[in-house]
Amino acid sequence: VACSKSTVLIRGESGTGKELVARAIHYTGDRKDKPFIKVNCAALSAGLLESELFGHEKGAFTGAHDRKIGRFELADGGTVFLDEVGDMPPALQAKLLHFLEHRRLRRVGGTTEIPVDVRIIAATNREIEQAIEDGGFRRDLFYRLNVVSLFLPPLRDRGDDVELLTQHFVNRYAKEFKKTINKIEGPAFEKLRHYNWPGNVRELRNVIERAVV
């Protein structure tokens, strides 16, 4: 997947490592020397997100005192990671669909379409099919994003990974905090192994950090 230009949709619960997978795809592919830019689609209103992605011209709206180059233009030749794309406001989904189809954008308040070579990697923890049925997400946009689909299973279904991840985080935080801790074993590790991990890898990381501290 890394060496292709295909759009990728990464799905999985919060904390499973979707952004890490997106970065791995970018930095092991042909675009590794170009920008990797992340945008959280759930963190901004529709108007702010549109300006953030596509940019705007001077005077496009109140407060637009200068031209702003959007994330798609800044990432030309590289990758844009659309995190939480399932929460993108409906008003912006049509504009994203047009960009995916034509690879050309128009800044807010602009009249010229600008060609941009950028790879899109999107991620969501939502059940998009249900969002489509509920009218909150465009079906045609889903098909455009879902060219290559990757699913990250929750940590509770990856029992063998708990030991590897635990050792990784123990080594990382022992070095960071200058502690002489080599590993977690015995009953303590068994508790980690059999815990349900609703927060997935992110929760495990925080638990190990707290334990090492």
Side-chain angles (χ1 to χ4, degrees), residues 17-92:
K18 296 185 291 297
E19 182 178 344
L20 287 177
V21 170
R23 290 182 179 276
I25 291 171
H26 174 78
Y27 287 108
T28 57
D30 298 335
R31 296 171 179 259
K32 61 185 178 182
D33 296 324
K34 298 294 184 177
F36 176 91
I37 296 180
K38 174 187 174 181
V39 180
N40 189 323
C41 298
L44 300 171
S45 66
L48 289 174
L49 183 58
E50 182 178 16
S51 175
E52 196 70 19
L53 289 174
F54 297 96
H56 63 250
E57 298 289 354
K58 181 178 179 180
F61 49 82
T62 303
H65 302 300
D66 298 291
R67 170 186 286 177
K68 177 180 178 178
I69 303 301
R71 300 294 181 92
F72 285 139
E73 282 187 81
L74 290 173
D76 193 21
T79 301
V80 170
F81 174 49
L82 299 176
D83 197 14
E84 306 301 346
V85 72
D87 295 308
M88 177 174 282
L92 194 52

Side-chain angles (χ1 to χ4, degrees), residues 122-194:
T124 183
N125 58 16
R126 292 189 66 188
E127 292 291 340
I128 289 196
E129 291 84 356
Q130 187 60 53
I132 292 171
E133 294 300 320
D134 295 340
F137 201 84
R138 294 179 63 112
R139 189 181 300 272
D140 47 4
L141 177 56
F142 171 66
Y143 291 144
R144 279 289 178 181
L145 292 172
N146 197 42
V147 177
V148 177
S149 182
L150 301 178
F151 174 71
L152 300 189
L155 188 56
R156 60 183 172 274
D157 295 338
R158 295 159 52 188
D160 291 341
D161 287 352
V162 172
E163 183 173 5
L164 294 170
L165 289 165
T166 297
Q167 189 61 54
H168 167 72
F169 291 132
V170 166
N171 294 341
R172 171 180 170 179
Y173 291 117
K175 181 179 180 181
E176 182 175 336
F177 301 129
K178 296 179 173 58
K179 300 270 190 172
T180 54
I181 299 172
N182 297 317
K183 62 181 179 178
I184 297 175
E185 56 188 358
F189 175 71
E190 288 304 311
K191 286 186 177 182
L192 297 177
R193 179 70 180 260
H194 294 103

Side-chain angles (χ1 to χ4, degrees), residues 84-101:
E84 306 301 346
V85 72
D87 295 308
M88 177 174 282
L92 194 52
Q93 292 177 24
K95 190 164 185 177
L96 175 60
L97 177 63
H98 180 272
F99 175 73
L100 289 171
E101 289 176 339

